[in-house]
Amino acid sequence: MLSHRDILQTRDMIDKRHLDIRTITMGISLLDCMDTDVKTCARKIYDKITRRAENLVKVGQDIEWEFGIPIVNKRISVTPIAMVGNSCETDSYVPLAIAMDEAAKTCGVNFIGGFSALVQKGFTKGDRVLIESIPEALAATERVCSSVNVGSTKAGINMDAVAWMGRIIKKTAELTADNDGLGCAKLVVFANAVEDNPFMAGAFHGVGEPECVLNVGVSGPGVVYHALQGVKGQPFDVVAETVKKTAFRITRMGQIVGVEASRRLDVPFGIVDLSLAPTPAVGDSVARILEEMGLEVCGTHGTTAALALLNDAVKKGGVMASNHVGGLSGAFIPVSEDEGMIAAAEAGVLTLSKLEAMTCVCSVGLDMIAVPGDTSAATISAIIADEAAIGMINTKTTAVRIIPAPGKVVGDRVEMGGLLGSAPVMPVHSESAEDFIARGGRIPAPIQSLKN
Amino acid sequence: MKAIVTVVGKDRVGIIAEVCMQLAAFQVNVLDISQTVMQGYFTMMMAVDVSACTVPLAEFCKAMDAKGQEMGLNIRVQREDIFTAMHRV
């Protein structure tokens, strides 16, 4: 029998600690939408997405009511469009992005991911067309998210792609300059991208995935923060155990919602992504968890160790709670989407260098970071190269989602709105990496033994 | 299928009666009930059987939420399995 304590604890987690399902994301294969004519391809894409995801939002809303748990986002991910569009005789995939955007609007989802290319070892014709189309596609659409995988542990880093993406990010910022470069908030550059990630902007439906699948991303930094408030001053063994138990509960909720949603939609259940995904709301911050462990401000010495413990304990607690775990699984540190990170960055304690160190031990990478508008493409590429190298060597996913906000300088603030939050513009090194990036070619795949 | 109804708010006369009337109107049977009043705040938990509920479960949950707002209370209906999933290994 359930105890009052359990029932009230669950209510408390939801009402006061921002516990929610961050996203249910339907992955849809578009491999059968290829066509030589781009218009026909676009129509097939629209038709397939709207047919498959017709009931996604309705089912999500019903489950929200029945379980009394908010499902903040209902989203869609699709096969990387570079593959789908490869057969099209065209030099722009913008019409395909528009078809995705319209399908997302029809289905009522707020983001659709998969305007993507996987180029860790080189470019196909489709990859080149897609990358070239990104700035215009993100400016012309509202809900489409784009990602490009430029490196992996098995393939090394495609430095031609790294150099190119620096220029693409700059151009995307210019084309969306009216909104502080908002387009860049929908563009991720990955190393070791995963095929079943339910979180935006990096979600796409990998080619190893089934026809259609449902993935769930859980969240709950507020719940972990609150739990740690109960173990003030105690050793790290206790901290780790507390995080594990909390992560278990959060993940179980994601598992039950995912299974129920997949049953109703008649789509196989994929994975639960065990993530601590913050929002700009007060009390829903990963930075505040790190501070609760005893750091005055997130970003000071000790932050990397605190984050390492948190990230590992979340996975350990979550793994047992779900029968399939995947995606990015870990703590997210998106600066603009985390109230505590924003405060730490504005105080000048949390710097780009420290964030880079933190990405060595947590999920993903340099996320939602605003830099001055005059940051050169080569510098952005060099930041991407550093992050990709961390991912490649450590066999983990890393990513860069960076906004060179047009006309903004250090000290300004970039407003993204909604879940994307707002970011203080952070300083970058002014010394050039131009010659480094101009070399191009590939950084070879790393050796997997002799680990030191 | 079982669900848990929690009612939280300022205590006054007739809360249980009014909530139970509403449950009965939907053919929802009360299986277990417990309540406490702490510092003037009323907290009630009920286990109910929603198998014979006259409307889809989501609609029932919405109706109870609306009833709560009308009464100045927070009423929430949640499927029982979310609690067992979260609190039992």
Side-chain angles (χ1 to χ4, degrees):
Chain A
M1 181 59 196
L2 288 161
S3 73
H4 288 188
R5 202 172 143 266
D6 294 343
I7 293 170
L8 288 178
Q9 190 184 39
T10 301
R11 248 189 92 118
D12 236 33
M13 283 179 175
I14 296 165
D15 290 351
K16 297 183 185 157
R17 317 286 170 217
H18 302 279
L19 177 62
D20 55 48
I21 303 288
R22 185 49 47 85
T23 181
I24 54 173
T25 303
M26 181 182 273
I28 304 171
S29 169
L30 297 183
L31 287 172
D32 54 354
C33 297
M34 294 179 189
D35 202 283
T36 50
D37 177 44
V38 71
K39 279 187 189 156
T40 311
C41 183
R43 186 180 47 75
K44 286 182 182 174
I45 287 173
Y46 177 87
D47 289 349
K48 179 147 191 198
I49 294 170
T50 49
R51 191 173 69 244
R52 277 288 179 177
E54 191 181 7
N55 296 320
L56 176 64
V57 171
K58 167 80 171 72
V59 164
Q61 286 167 344
D62 282 352
I63 292 174
E64 277 182 86
W65 275 107
E66 290 178 22
F67 287 114
I69 176 96
I71 302 173
V72 182
N73 299 298
K74 294 93 184 167
R75 292 170 169 172
I76 296 168
S77 65
V78 298
T79 309
I81 292 294
M83 294 176 193
V84 183
N86 217 349
S87 315
C88 297
E89 287 158 3
T90 177
D91 55 3
S92 168
Y93 291 161
V94 175
L96 305 185
I98 290 171
M100 287 167 70
D101 201 41
E102 283 172 358
K105 284 174 186 160
T106 305
C107 296
V109 300
N110 58 358
F111 280 122
I112 180 165
F115 197 74
S116 307
L118 311 175
V119 298
Q120 58 269 29
K121 219 164 176 181
F123 307 96
T124 62
K125 184 192 74 168
D127 293 333
R128 288 186 191 280
V129 176
L130 182 119
I131 292 174
E132 203 55 47
S133 306
I134 289 174
E136 205 190 320
L138 294 180
T141 60
E142 188 191 332
R143 306 183 188 199
V144 173
C145 292
S146 175
S147 58
V148 176
N149 191 64
V150 297
S152 75
T153 303
K154 296 245 185 243
I157 303 173
N158 179 348
M159 290 299 288
D160 291 325
V162 168
W164 197 1
M165 286 312 296
R167 299 193 295 274
I168 291 292
I169 288 171
K170 286 288 284 182
K171 197 169 169 198
T172 303
E174 282 162 23
L175 291 187
T176 52
D178 293 348
N179 295 317
D180 285 347
L182 179 67
C184 297
K186 298 181 282 178
L187 173 58
V188 190
V189 185
F190 274 118
N192 288 323
V194 291
E195 297 199 325
D196 53 4
N197 165 24
F199 286 101
M200 295 297 167
F204 63 87
H205 184 72
V207 284
E209 296 286 307
E211 179 69 17
C212 191
V213 72
L214 198 79
N215 297 321
V216 173
V218 296
S219 189
V223 184
V224 175
Y225 173 70
H226 179 70
L228 289 186
Q229 281 182 318
V231 295
K232 275 189 198 299
Q234 299 201 41
F236 282 113
D237 318 63
V238 179
V239 173
E241 196 59 27
T242 306
V243 174
K244 273 161 62 181
K245 283 182 180 156
T246 311
F248 176 84
R249 294 203 170 100
I250 296 171
T251 310
R252 280 294 273 251
M253 191 191 65
Q255 167 80 14
I256 193 171
V257 166
V259 168
E260 184 66 23
S262 73
R263 188 183 64 78
R264 291 191 194 185
L265 290 163
D266 194 22
V267 164
F269 175 57
I271 54 98
V272 177
D273 188 320
L274 315 171
S275 285
L276 285 184
T279 68
V282 172
D284 204 18
S285 156
V286 169
R288 299 298 184 200
I289 298 174
L290 306 179
E291 291 171 1
E292 183 56 38
M293 288 191 207
L295 302 169
E296 191 180 346
V297 179
C298 174
T300 190
H301 304 292
T303 303
T304 310
L307 183 58
L309 177 148
L310 175 67
N311 199 53
D312 184 61
V314 165
K315 290 179 196 173
K316 284 175 178 163
V319 156
M320 194 179 147
S322 171
N323 43 13
H324 294 287
V325 170
L328 298 168
S329 288
F332 289 176
I333 51 169
V335 176
S336 78
E337 298 173 1
D338 185 307
E339 168 270 324
M341 297 272 175
I342 296 170
E346 279 182 337
V349 181
L350 184 62
T351 60
L352 211 51
S353 306
K354 189 62 181 178
L355 277 165
E356 188 180 313
M358 289 162 75
T359 66
C360 301
V361 298
C362 81
S363 150
V364 205
L366 292 173
D367 197 13
M368 290 304 283
I369 289 161
V371 295
D374 62 0
T375 307
S376 72
T379 296
I380 291 172
S381 293
I383 291 171
I384 294 170
D386 281 343
E387 227 15 71
I390 290 171
M392 173 182 78
I393 296 291
N394 294 306
T395 327
K396 74 183 283 294
T397 306
T398 49
V400 174
R401 185 159 52 142
I402 193 166
I403 301 125
K408 300 272 178 170
V409 294
V410 174
D412 288 347
R413 214 176 155 115
V414 176
E415 297 290 340
M416 300 292 161
L419 271 181
L420 297 172
S422 68
V425 175
M426 298 172 89
V428 296
H429 291 296
S430 56
E431 294 77 10
S432 169
E434 203 86 41
D435 295 344
F436 177 77
I437 294 301
R439 285 174 184 271
R442 281 161 54 201
I443 293 181
I447 193 161
Q448 287 295 296
S449 60
L450 309 174
K451 288 250 175 191
N452 291 300
Chain B
M1 186 191 293
K2 281 204 235 172
I4 304 290
V5 182
T6 46
V7 183
V8 179
K10 208 163 165 23
D11 193 23
R12 63 172 168 82
V13 172
I15 293 179
I16 297 180
E18 210 170 328
V19 171
C20 288
M21 286 283 283
Q22 184 77 356
L23 296 177
F26 286 103
Q27 291 295 312
V28 170
N29 188 29
V30 177
L31 303 171
D32 194 4
I33 180 165
S34 74
Q35 62 122 105
T36 55
V37 178
M38 284 201 307
Q39 295 165 338
Y41 266 84
F42 176 90
T43 306
M44 173 166 70
M45 275 163 262
M46 299 166 122
V48 298
D49 182 356
V50 291
S51 310
C53 187
T54 51
V55 295
L57 185 56
E59 297 305 315
F60 170 61
C61 298
K62 279 183 210 174
M64 292 305 290
D65 180 73
K67 182 74 186 169
Q69 285 177 22
E70 180 195 315
M71 292 170 68
L73 298 165
N74 185 326
I75 302 182
R76 183 170 293 167
V77 184
Q78 292 169 277
R79 272 170 56 170
E80 187 196 34
D81 39 3
I82 191 156
F83 299 99
T84 41
M86 283 178 82
H87 298 284
R88 300 281 178 275
V89 177

